[in-house]
Structures are given as structure tokens and as C-alpha cells.
Amino acid sequence: MLKKKATANELIWLFHEKLAGSNFPNAGIAIVPIGNGNWSALTNATERRHYPDLAKTVVRIERQLRARYLLKEV
């Protein structure tokens, strides 16, 4: 399956769409390029300490989105 290319802002928007029904809808998410269109999602350490399930949720969403999207180089 071909992956679609998306900007970091589009990926952040997709994360917030998926987080909307969770306990952390306003979590800070950053998308970081790791080469060849691959990317990783980062969250604030303070938020991870206050919400331990946030890291697990972000990893789950990241797996879903990385299977479908590549990071578009700007």
C-alpha cells in the first residue's frame, strides 16, 4: 500500500482528531522527521508525568498513522 505524504501540521491535526475523545484532547504533540519521510511524534515530559496513559495513547496513534503517512519535506 502506498503511503500518503502529509505535512507535520496535518499529522498533528490527525493526532488531535484521534485524541478528541480521550482524557487528553489538548496534549502538545510535535512531529519530528527521522529521515526518508519517516517521522516520530513527541509529547511534553510534564504532560507524560501528569498523564501516564498519554505516552501509550500517542504510541498507538503513531503506529496507526505511520502505516499510512510519510512526512512531506517542506
Side-chain angles (χ1 to χ4, degrees):
M1 176 162 115
L2 290 174
K3 294 182 180 182
K4 296 178 185 177
K5 290 191 175 189
T7 64
N9 286 336
E10 291 169 336
L11 291 170
I12 291 169
W13 182 81
L14 290 168
F15 263 93
H16 283 288
E17 284 290 309
K18 292 189 175 281
L19 287 171
S22 69
N23 294 334
F24 3 86
N26 297 322
I29 304 288
I31 302 297
V32 179
I34 55 175
N36 296 330
N38 291 324
W39 54 274
S40 184
L42 300 177
T43 57
N44 183 314
T46 304
E47 289 179 342
R48 287 193 311 268
R49 276 194 300 275
H50 284 93
Y51 307 105
D53 291 337
L54 175 62
K56 293 176 190 174
T57 303
V58 168
V59 167
R60 181 180 48 80
I61 294 170
E62 181 180 359
R63 279 191 204 124
Q64 293 172 359
L65 295 179
R66 284 180 83 181
R68 289 185 260 170
Y69 296 97
L70 289 174
L71 184 61
K72 186 188 297 184
E73 300 295 326
V74 187

